[in-house]
Amino acid sequence: MDGLKKVPVREQEPKVRAANFEEVCYGYNQEEAQAEASRCLKCKNAKCMGGCPVSIDIPRFIKEVETGDFEKAANIIAEASALPAVCGRVCPQESQCEGRCIRGIKGEPISIGKLERFVADWSREHGFVPKAAEVKNGKKVAVIGSGPAGLTCAGDLAKLGYEVTVFEALHEPGGVLTYGIPEFRLPKETVVRTEIENVKKLGVTIETDVIIGKSVTIDELMDEEGYEAVFIGSGAGLPKFMGIPGENANGVFSANEYLTRSNLMKAFRDDYDTPIVAGKKVAVVGGGNVAMDAARTALRLGAEVHIVYRRSEAELPARVEEVHHAKEEGVIFNLLTNPVEILTDEQGWVKGMIVRKMELGEPDESGRRRPVEIAGSDYTIEADTVIMSLGTSPNPLISSTTEGLEINRRKCIVAEEKTGQTSREGVFAGGDAVTGAATVILAMEAGKNGAKGIHEYLSRKKQ
């Protein structure tokens, strides 16, 4: 084997997977994982760890994979991460741990994400359970939201001995892992539910169908129910729209609604009654991972799918792997193109979209070149369904019902980066509720910081 090249990962054939919702990537088997682990240079000053937001001891766990001690590898990962099977599948490793891998200077970096996934899947198949705290400290902490930030914070606090209750607004826990990321990228029954169960085995209680701000307020949790600290990890689920003519037509969805219908409410399955407008020609506006998820979902429901994005391929915010998979499956990319108007028929249903060609000008504040309209370049894309994937913002319900909680102009909660402390004493926050829509792993980092901040706060309070 050429030590400069990654061990290839087996995947479903594009034409086959484009017609089903089964997982695209098969991952490594034991032989492949050990062969890939053997490529690691065992660096003394491992740069990869500096690229991991949750600080997994990457060289240590990879060394155990190479020797075949997968349980030890699982314990090493569990010290830092409560969601390894999730991270191994959806983390942007290419810009984080693998992006800093020394092996990648003269060859291909180690497939750190695929090795993490292998260890997590081995753990699930062999009944590995992370260790819970032996002694409880008697202190109650509430966590709002059961997405990656909330689950991580809850797991870390439980390991420190806290009595943690997670409050989830929906009927299923998991947040974006359950409603946002499609089955073909992140299987719900095997992967998401197992990792949530592992968090519960640490001693965490999860209560679903509880809407903080309506069912109960943060003030009531702290003043009447005995919670000494609260972590807000409620995410950013409020979709954004463009404000163009025709946007209120029948057949226009936010990506959030479209994906929630499919992922959480199983609209893609024949044995569920959840309605979804599959569409014959679908236009997805946006270029991030959520846009790719929506496009690839619509494709699997039988549509011809166009991604409409106002910049070029080099500026696509989606992971390279997701763009590659979308292209392989047959998604059509209309780049340097921006919607101007959604056309409707007499009954108010979408029948097409007028778009305008763009060119790239000088870089804007994000560092990406600003798209500039080309006059007289309008043309029409046929479509009977339009999915808007333009980002999301936090729901203002929690901030508007909590005394003394500062928010910024983007309606995000203001919190200290390293501790999660908000303007309200005892209330901490992190993840998309603070930053706006970002990645799973950055939400997990915020959850870890929040747990650490709460532990330090309550330890000081005790004194």
Side-chain angles (χ1 to χ4, degrees):
M1 186 188 77
D2 180 1
L4 297 178
K5 294 274 188 184
K6 291 181 179 182
V7 174
V9 183
R10 291 163 291 114
E11 296 178 343
Q12 281 196 71
E13 289 294 321
K15 283 185 180 177
V16 175
R17 70 183 191 239
N20 68 53
F21 277 81
E22 291 161 24
E23 192 168 12
V24 168
C25 178
Y26 293 126
Y28 285 145
N29 60 29
Q30 183 173 325
E31 183 184 352
E32 291 163 341
Q34 288 184 274
E36 180 63 18
S38 72
R39 296 179 58 237
C40 180
L41 297 172
K42 322 291 188 299
C43 306
K44 287 186 179 177
N45 179 22
K47 304 284 187 189
C48 57
M49 285 182 64
C52 176
V54 296
S55 304
I56 292 171
D57 194 331
I58 294 167
R60 262 179 74 217
F61 102 73
I62 290 179
K63 182 183 174 186
E64 300 306 334
V65 172
E66 185 181 357
T67 61
D69 194 338
F70 306 131
E71 184 169 348
K72 195 168 181 182
N75 274 309
I76 291 166
I77 294 172
E79 290 168 8
S81 175
L83 306 171
V86 169
C87 289
R89 286 167 164 83
V90 303
C91 262
Q93 289 99 2
E94 66 277 3
S95 62
Q96 294 178 340
C97 54
E98 292 179 21
R100 301 197 190 183
C101 175
I102 298 297
R103 170 61 88 183
I105 295 173
K106 289 188 177 178
E108 293 181 347
I110 307 300
S111 286
I112 298 167
K114 297 297 188 289
L115 291 175
E116 182 184 15
R117 169 188 165 154
F118 167 78
V119 173
D121 289 354
W122 181 93
S123 301
R124 180 180 69 249
E125 290 156 13
H126 290 80
F128 169 81
V129 177
K131 292 171 186 162
E134 292 179 14
V135 183
K136 293 286 184 186
N137 62 22
K139 291 180 178 290
K140 287 173 64 178
V141 178
V143 172
I144 300 168
S146 64
L151 290 173
T152 300
C153 183
D156 279 13
L157 287 169
K159 284 190 269 188
L160 291 166
Y162 291 92
E163 186 183 322
V164 185
T165 302
V166 178
F167 297 100
E168 168 56 50
L170 297 175
H171 62 281
E172 287 274 355
V176 70
L177 308 176
T178 298
Y179 73 74
I181 303 174
E183 192 77 17
F184 52 82
R185 281 183 63 207
L186 191 62
K188 308 299 168 233
E189 200 67 44
T190 51
V191 174
V192 178
R193 282 200 178 169
T194 300
E195 303 230 303
I196 291 170
E197 284 304 311
N198 282 343
V199 171
K200 288 165 77 173
K201 285 170 185 172
L202 293 170
V204 173
T205 301
I206 300 179
E207 292 189 19
T208 56
D209 298 309
V210 180
I211 302 173
I212 301 298
K214 283 200 171 180
S215 310
V216 64
T217 66
I218 287 177
D219 297 334
E220 288 167 345
L221 287 175
M222 298 185 80
D223 298 341
E224 299 172 21
E225 299 199 21
Y227 289 96
E228 296 189 48
V230 175
F231 177 80
I232 303 170
S234 51
L238 199 63
K240 295 177 182 175
F241 289 88
M242 292 185 72
I244 59 175
E247 209 166 31
N248 292 326
N250 297 321
V252 178
F253 292 85
S254 69
N256 261 34
E257 180 185 353
Y258 198 82
L259 290 169
T260 299
R261 284 173 182 264
S262 181
N263 301 332
L264 176 68
M265 303 170 76
K266 310 297 182 195
F268 69 91
R269 284 174 47 172
D270 293 336
D271 55 338
Y272 276 70
D273 292 331
T274 307
I276 192 166
V277 179
K280 291 181 180 175
K281 293 194 174 183
V282 175
V284 179
V285 181
N289 288 324
V290 176
M292 299 305 143
D293 286 344
R296 296 172 69 198
T297 296
L299 185 89
R300 282 160 171 75
L301 291 169
E304 174 188 298
V305 183
H306 291 251
I307 288 275
V308 179
Y309 180 62
R310 63 187 187 147
R311 289 183 166 98
S312 72
E313 184 166 347
E315 286 80 28
L316 279 168
R319 288 183 69 192
V320 171
E321 183 180 58
E322 301 309 318
V323 175
H324 171 68
H325 281 156
K327 283 184 173 179
E328 278 191 328
E329 290 162 8
V331 173
I332 300 158
F333 282 72
N334 294 71
L335 300 171
L336 289 167
T337 305
N338 205 39
V340 176
E341 181 180 351
I342 295 168
L343 303 173
T344 59
D345 63 18
E346 291 173 1
Q347 282 75 44
W349 284 88
V350 172
K351 69 174 184 179
M353 186 162 63
I354 299 175
V355 297
R356 187 166 295 158
K357 290 185 178 179
M358 314 290 281
E359 59 186 357
L360 294 179
E362 294 301 310
D364 61 16
E365 60 277 3
S366 73
R368 294 179 299 169
R369 292 173 66 192
R370 187 187 300 276
V372 180
E373 295 181 348
I374 299 174
S377 63
D378 292 9
Y379 68 100
T380 301
I381 293 175
E382 276 187 47
D384 54 19
T385 306
V386 173
I387 302 172
M388 292 291 182
S389 182
L390 306 166
T392 53
S393 60
N395 189 315
L397 181 62
I398 290 174
S399 57
S400 66
T401 57
T402 306
E403 283 290 326
L405 197 61
E406 184 186 350
I407 58 170
N408 62 23
R409 60 183 176 80
R410 295 184 299 134
K411 310 295 183 191
C412 294
I413 296 167
V414 176
E416 290 179 14
E417 186 180 348
K418 293 300 180 187
T419 65
Q421 176 67 61
T422 69
S423 55
R424 166 81 184 269
E425 186 184 346
V427 177
F428 297 73
D432 291 4
V434 171
T435 61
T439 60
V440 167
I441 191 66
L442 290 177
M444 289 175 64
E445 178 185 28
K448 288 187 81 66
N449 288 343
K452 189 179 173 188
I454 287 170
H455 181 54
E456 288 171 357
Y457 165 73
L458 292 178
S459 299
R460 284 197 310 272
K461 193 177 174 189
K462 183 181 176 183
Q463 296 162 5

